[in-house]
Amino acid sequence: MIKVNLKSGATFKDRWLNPYIHISNSPDFMEIEKKIRAIEKDMGIRMEDGVRIDYIKMDRNILATNLFYLTTIAIIAYMYFRNPKNRNVFNAFGDISKAKFTLVNPFSGKGVRFKDVAGLQEAKVEVMEFVDYLKNPERYKKLGAKVPKGALLLGPPGCGKTLLAKAVATESNVPFLSMNGSEFIEVVGGLGAARVRNLFAEARKRAPSIIYIDEIDAIGKKRSESFAQTANSESDRTLNQLLVEMDGMTTAQDIIILASTNRPDVLDKALLRRGRFDRHIVIDLPTLEERIQIFEYHLHSLALEGKPMQYATYLAHLTPGFSGAEIANVCNEAALHAASEAKVKVYNDDLMYSIDKVLGGTVKKSSTLTPSEKKVVVYHEAGHALAAWLLEHVNPLIKVTVVPRTNKRLGFAQYSDTNLKLQSSEHLFERMCVLLGGRVAENIIFNKISSRAQTDLKKVTEIAYHQVQQFGMSPSIGLISFDKELTSTKTKKPYSKKLAGLMDAEVRRIITEAYKRTEKLLLDNKDKLITLAETLLKQETLTYKDIEALIGPPPFGKKDLTKLEEFNANLE
């Protein structure tokens, strides 16, 4: 077979690289074939037995591309072996796959200890079991017990998950490798999985050891259910590698994995199963007793005018729903305020200032409200306060203020908590009445409404839908419960359009009934509403004691504020 290379200007190098017949790219190549066929005819060779001639056309860019790659490789190799200093550049590509963990020195004697973690009693007991196993493994192995492979710390932000992990690092006396979930993921594909492998390899070298992954939801999100969803392919690969390392064919020995997140609903089910995270430790917002402990711990570092325990109990009643981080911020803001006013000690008014600042922000001195707008805000907040004062099943009112704040809050009412874990339909209904009190007061006094109640209406709508769709508190809808995700607009509804219409109608009925109940309550006590609002307009802030002096004690008793009054009297 003869291949004819149709390439013009064939050089010696061309003939060496492609040993075919090289001819000029012109019509003369047809004459070559005629001569070959004539010779074959003279020699008696039949046409079908003749020499096969194929015509091929060379691409000019093929040789140039190959030469470019060969040249690049040669230059890199020359630089690598010519100067040893350049090898650090190439080693950096290997170092990028290493896990960027923080190694806590187990024998430094410094850091946070369990005694420094106020509250969280149940969580500390569970976590201390891991520490005890690492210190005394033989005691458990004799009984055939196996240490849990991992513990997942769940809870809202600022409740002490990371602080508890720091205490474990100090108390365990074993190597503690800490890493954030976002540090695994990079743009380079496969890098997250490589860092997971490297992290566990480093932990095995130091076994027994503890691995802590903060904000694990960054790599532990639910994997995509179809191959078409490739946006999170890197996260999926990283999660798959983490699952294998935690409980795969070769399980890690003497390695405990701690992780924390405030978004457990987005985590993959394979990550949450027993055998990987055997313990799910919920760290919720602190209760009244836990808030007392947290305040007492932080107040010990302040130069107080009085005993920390006295202030701790008082402040704990004033801060329902505060997290541990917010309580620490309250104490710090009080000290900063006292220092800014050149005080020698921190007083009660500094602590009250700090609570208001954490709740609503810094006081906005340059208020842009007109007198008419100010009056609307005053009556709106007075409507909230009066409804809470007169109703039975709502949290006790502590204070109402209309001082403008920097976070766009023109005023707010502060309530104490009742430490109720379960709420009846009466509690939820009267809570809706309190939220609607501002809108009702505006309508009664001014015969018109404003946009002030937007946030209140959102909360009222949410409570009403929860009663109908999740709590089964609607007689007309029945005992049904749908998860919040199933009722969102992003998913297909698990119920018919007819049932959806019935639920919407029931929600409107509940809200309308709450509005009418609140309207009747405030109309019957219109004189108290006006007295409360006009005094609030002058003083801007009214405490429980001030409100009681204006309109009398609440009709259903002082609830749990008796102790609060006692502490307030002692401070005065």
Side-chain angles (χ1 to χ4, degrees), residues 301-315:
S301 60
L302 304 183
L304 283 175
E305 179 62 28
K307 296 180 180 179
M309 184 59 188
Q310 183 182 17
Y311 283 97
T313 309
Y314 174 62
L315 295 172

Side-chain angles (χ1 to χ4, degrees), residues 34-330:
K34 289 179 181 179
K35 292 180 181 179
I36 292 175
R37 300 305 178 195
I39 294 172
E40 291 176 343
K41 186 177 181 181
D42 294 339
M43 297 177 61
I45 300 174
R46 293 181 300 176
M47 181 67 69
E48 57 270 18
D49 297 330
V51 177
R52 177 183 170 185
I53 301 176
D54 294 332
Y55 295 93
I56 62 174
K57 187 174 182 179
M58 289 286 291
D59 189 356
R60 293 174 180 268
N61 295 327
I62 294 177
L63 183 61
T65 303
N66 292 335
L67 288 175
F68 172 76
Y69 285 125
L70 290 173
T71 305
T72 303
I73 294 172
I75 292 173
I76 293 175
Y78 175 79
M79 291 174 60
Y80 184 82
F81 292 105
R82 176 76 175 177
N83 190 354
K85 294 182 179 179
N86 293 332
R87 299 181 185 181
N88 295 329
V89 178
F90 299 96
N91 292 335
F93 292 98
D95 293 339
I96 196 174
S97 63
K98 292 183 179 180
K100 302 175 183 179
F101 59 87
T102 300
L103 180 62
V104 179
N105 186 0
F107 305 107
S108 63
K110 301 179 181 179
V112 181
R113 296 192 172 272
F114 284 133
K115 64 180 182 180
D116 299 323
V117 183
L120 307 180
Q121 298 300 328
E122 293 82 3
K124 284 194 289 187
V125 170
E126 290 197 64
V127 171
M128 286 172 68
E129 292 182 8
F130 292 90
V131 177
D132 187 57
Y133 176 82
L134 294 172
K135 290 182 177 180
N136 308 292
E138 296 300 328
R139 179 154 55 93
Y140 293 86
K141 291 180 179 179
K142 286 180 180 179
L143 299 176
K146 296 180 180 178
V147 67
K149 294 182 180 178
L152 185 62
L153 307 178
L154 309 172
C159 289
K161 299 183 294 295
T162 306
L163 183 66
L164 191 59
K166 291 179 180 178
V168 173
T170 308
E171 297 278 0
S172 60
N173 290 334
V174 297
F176 188 92
L177 289 74
S178 175
M179 194 167 175
N180 194 286
S182 60
E183 294 175 340
F184 288 97
I185 304 298
E186 296 285 354
V187 179
V188 182
L191 192 58
R195 288 180 175 176
V196 170
R197 287 192 296 268
N198 181 257
L199 177 63
F200 277 82
E202 294 292 337
R204 290 188 188 96
K205 294 177 184 177
R206 298 170 172 85
S209 59
I210 298 176
I211 293 176
Y212 173 60
I213 303 176
D214 193 11
E215 305 296 345
I216 196 174
D217 53 275
I219 59 172
K221 291 182 180 179
K222 296 175 183 177
R223 288 167 289 185
S224 52
E225 298 178 356
S226 64
F227 292 103
Q229 300 174 356
T230 58
N232 295 325
S233 58
E234 175 62 15
S235 298
D236 291 352
R237 285 193 292 266
T238 306
L239 175 58
N240 291 336
Q241 187 62 45
L242 179 62
L243 297 176
V244 171
E245 294 290 343
M246 292 184 67
D247 188 22
M249 296 299 292
T250 57
T251 58
Q253 298 293 331
D254 295 329
I255 297 178
I256 295 175
I257 299 95
L258 297 179
S260 62
T261 180
N262 50 36
R263 302 174 62 196
D265 54 308
V266 303
L267 296 180
D268 195 274
K269 292 181 179 179
L271 187 65
L272 296 174
R273 75 161 175 83
R274 305 310 187 199
R276 291 197 173 101
F277 286 113
D278 298 285
R279 302 280 181 87
H280 296 174
I281 304 174
V282 178
I283 302 177
D284 210 342
L285 292 172
T287 62
L288 177 62
E289 292 75 15
E290 290 175 337
R291 291 200 302 273
I292 293 174
Q293 297 175 17
I294 298 173
F295 265 115
E296 189 175 2
Y297 174 79
H298 290 291
L299 290 175
H300 271 295
S301 60
L302 304 183
L304 283 175
E305 179 62 28
K307 296 180 180 179
M309 184 59 188
Q310 183 182 17
Y311 283 97
T313 309
Y314 174 62
L315 295 172
H317 280 82
L318 297 178
T319 53
F322 274 43
S323 65
E326 289 174 323
I327 291 174
N329 191 25
V330 166

Side-chain angles (χ1 to χ4, degrees), residues 143 167 188 203 303 305 409 420-421 542:
L143 299 176
V188 182
E305 179 62 28
R409 295 186 69 171
L420 290 177
K421 300 300 180 184
L542 296 177

Side-chain angles (χ1 to χ4, degrees), residues 375-377 379-381 383 436-453 515-516 518-520 522-523 526 529:
K375 199 168 185 179
V376 171
V377 172
Y379 273 94
H380 184 98
E381 297 302 329
L436 291 170
R439 170 61 67 90
V440 173
E442 290 182 34
N443 195 25
I444 291 175
I445 301 300
F446 306 105
N447 198 23
K448 59 182 179 180
I449 57 177
S450 68
S451 60
R452 179 81 178 105
Y515 185 89
K516 291 181 178 179
T518 310
E519 187 177 37
K520 184 179 184 305
L522 296 187
L523 281 173
K526 187 176 180 180
L529 176 64

Side-chain angles (χ1 to χ4, degrees), residues 312-425:
T313 309
Y314 174 62
L315 295 172
H317 280 82
L318 297 178
T319 53
F322 274 43
S323 65
E326 289 174 323
I327 291 174
N329 191 25
V330 166
C331 299
N332 186 55
E333 288 291 344
L336 292 174
H337 183 258
S340 64
E341 295 190 352
K343 294 182 180 179
V344 181
K345 292 186 177 182
V346 179
Y347 292 86
N348 183 38
D349 58 333
D350 299 315
L351 294 167
M352 296 301 102
Y353 169 85
S354 63
I355 291 177
D356 290 342
K357 185 173 183 180
V358 173
L359 279 173
T362 308
V363 176
K364 190 174 182 180
K365 297 180 180 179
S366 57
S367 177
T368 58
L369 289 176
T370 62
S372 59
E373 289 177 327
K374 180 77 171 181
K375 199 168 185 179
V376 171
V377 172
V378 166
Y379 273 94
H380 184 98
E381 297 302 329
H384 287 309
L386 184 59
W389 192 265
L390 298 175
L391 292 173
E392 179 181 4
H393 300 288
V394 297
N395 292 345
L397 178 68
I398 297 176
K399 180 175 63 176
V400 58
T401 179
V402 290
V403 178
R405 302 277 170 175
T406 53
N407 62 357
K408 299 182 181 180
R409 295 186 69 171
L410 302 178
F412 63 91
Q414 185 181 354
Y415 307 92
S416 177
D417 59 348
T418 55
N419 292 327
L420 290 177
K421 300 300 180 184
L422 300 177
Q423 291 185 331
S424 63
S425 57

